[in-house]
Amino acid sequence: MGSRIRSQHSNCYSLGALFSGMLVLAAGFFEEAWAQESVSPLRPNVLLILVDDVGFSDIGCYGSEIPTPNLDNLAAQGVRFTQFYNTARCSPTRASLITGLYPHQAGMGHLDNFRYPDSRGTHGRLHERCVTIAEVLGAAGYHTSTVGKWHMGLQHGTPPWERGFHRTAVTQYGELYFPKEQGAPATKYVYLDGRKVPADSPEVGEGEWYSTFMFTDWALRFIDDARAQGKPFFVYFCHGAAHFPLRAPTDVIAKYRGKYRAGWDQLRLQRHRRQVEMGLVDPKWPLAARPPEVPAWDSLDAAQQDRFDHIMAVYAAMIDCIDQSVGRMVEGLRERGILENTLIIFLSDNGGNAESGPQGITQGEAIGGPFSRVFLGMSWATLSNTPFRRYKHFIHEGGISTPFIVHWLAGIPPERRGKLEHQPAHLIDVMPTLVEVSGAIYPAEYRGHRILPLEGVSLVPAFLGRPLHRVKPIFWEHEGNRGVRIGPWKLVMRHTQDWELYHLEADRTEQNNLIEKHPELADLLKKLWDDWAASSFVDEWTGPVFTDWGDAIRPKPAAEKGNPSG
């Protein structure tokens, strides 16, 4: 089956031969070439699983001590990407993933409660210049559904049922874990096929459910609906876990109490060692240093260590429940006889979340229960993002690197199963991949609006162990943080600070800034970033400066009031 993606790219980049023969790129302008690869003759079902605030090393097959046997099994029978990138934040990642565009192009330059009338790319809703995977696959005969966290302008005119999804069981922006719990008003409802239903209604789920499992029930229900109609399905499963407030079933938390008294220093070393053994991480890349704000574990007294152990036990329990959900979905597909030709994709929306700083937050009597308020904090987020620097919000590797697992028994040849894929990839590549495998056509126009051309490339060649056909750099911008990657080179800047240049093949943990050695290369990459920002609806960031853990240190700019989540 060949790709049916229209080659519509008009934003091209002039690239010169670069210093010492280390990076050679042909000058001139490029037409995008899409690979014609052989894949399954049958259109696959698609299960796209997105988790929230889960760091690069938080699941077993990426180095974690948290047991995730179901995800590990997917990896063992599929392909793990070692350099897959998100956008460092919730709504922007979701918009990029679901549209195949960069966030500002899709209208979601920040969280969906940020709306600026004069902005080019921060509208708090999906813009008419984009289409969603659901709209594209739905036009090709797919049954489309979504469960879990939406966070793409439900309150501003772009709920999922208006953007191509036939069936929905979603929350506005997540942060729902139990039917009765402490939370903001918007977290107390689930939207069932467009109807706003109280979360504690029996319509949502029976008994004292936990949302990770409740939404699993809905996803399987929607799959049965697709089968009854004789259609292939696209299910977009958006977990709220492991976003704050950290909450999980009491019995699952109890499994992990006491297991984190070894502390983040030792656990980081252990995760890093496993990553090296697995081949995920090159041993020549040094483990990023513990930030100075994070105390040495051995400097804490017993009470402090117990408190931190409790925080991490709740977080580990949430990862455990995600894995249980994945297991139920896989078993449900197997029982229905459709696992073989279902393409399963698993990823996270940003790096581990350091918000609330080194101490994290523990409030309430039953930590991790429905009336508690728990944040992971910077100290444990440093573990989550092993071996990288920085966190959610930032464009250094710790903020933008995610696990990415693909499992497709009918489409991935046996000799590729269990393999690692080291080619860089990004959210913008998911839409073109699904267009290719589904036989859908990405439109130039939709509902009377001109649609922007896709920014990414199909990942089908990488599934098969072949080179990708990427001719454009990969770009980032969030809250003034900036980045561009081309080949092994990455230019990155934290807002208000200087640009940094890294050669990621030699130094993916970003320890050796080469900008003074290669100023001409840095200048070229800056120009590429500037040109991209100008053509991709990126506004100059006028908001606050942030702490090293992602909390604003001065008031945010005037924006429409709404949830601060993300």
Side-chain angles (χ1 to χ4, degrees), residues 33-37 81 416 421-424 436 457-471:
W34 295 94
Q36 301 293 320
E37 303 289 353
F81 284 63
R416 284 289 290 163
E421 178 53 62
H422 297 295
Q423 296 183 83
E436 176 164 349
V457 300
S458 172
L459 298 177
V460 168
F463 295 176
L464 304 174
R466 300 171 186 169
L468 295 176
H469 300 271
R470 190 185 308 281
V471 297

Side-chain angles (χ1 to χ4, degrees), residues 160-210:
W161 54 90
E162 295 290 345
R163 294 308 307 246
F165 287 94
H166 302 137
R167 300 295 308 274
T168 62
V170 298
T171 60
Q172 181 177 317
Y173 60 81
E175 299 185 28
L176 170 68
Y177 293 106
F178 296 102
K180 294 184 182 297
E181 62 181 2
Q182 183 178 357
T187 67
K188 299 183 182 298
Y189 297 91
V190 176
Y191 292 81
L192 301 178
D193 295 332
R195 295 184 301 112
K196 185 177 181 180
V197 179
D200 61 356
S201 167
E203 276 193 86
V204 173
E206 295 292 337
E208 295 299 314
W209 46 257
Y210 182 59

Side-chain angles (χ1 to χ4, degrees), residues 29 154 164 197 221 265 329 347 364 391 409 493 498:
F29 294 97
L154 183 150
V197 179
R221 189 177 305 176
D265 293 323
M329 292 301 300
L347 73 161
Y391 314 93
L409 296 176
M493 185 185 79
D498 294 332

Side-chain angles (χ1 to χ4, degrees), residues 253-287:
I253 296 172
K255 287 171 55 177
Y256 295 97
R257 277 295 265 144
K259 294 186 181 296
Y260 286 91
R261 291 197 174 99
W264 42 75
D265 293 323
Q266 288 300 315
L267 290 168
R268 286 185 79 220
L269 292 173
Q270 292 170 15
R271 288 193 182 188
H272 185 236
R273 184 181 68 249
R274 285 190 288 269
Q275 290 173 330
V276 170
E277 291 171 353
M278 291 175 181
L280 293 163
V281 168
D282 194 314
K284 70 187 176 189
W285 303 337
L287 175 64

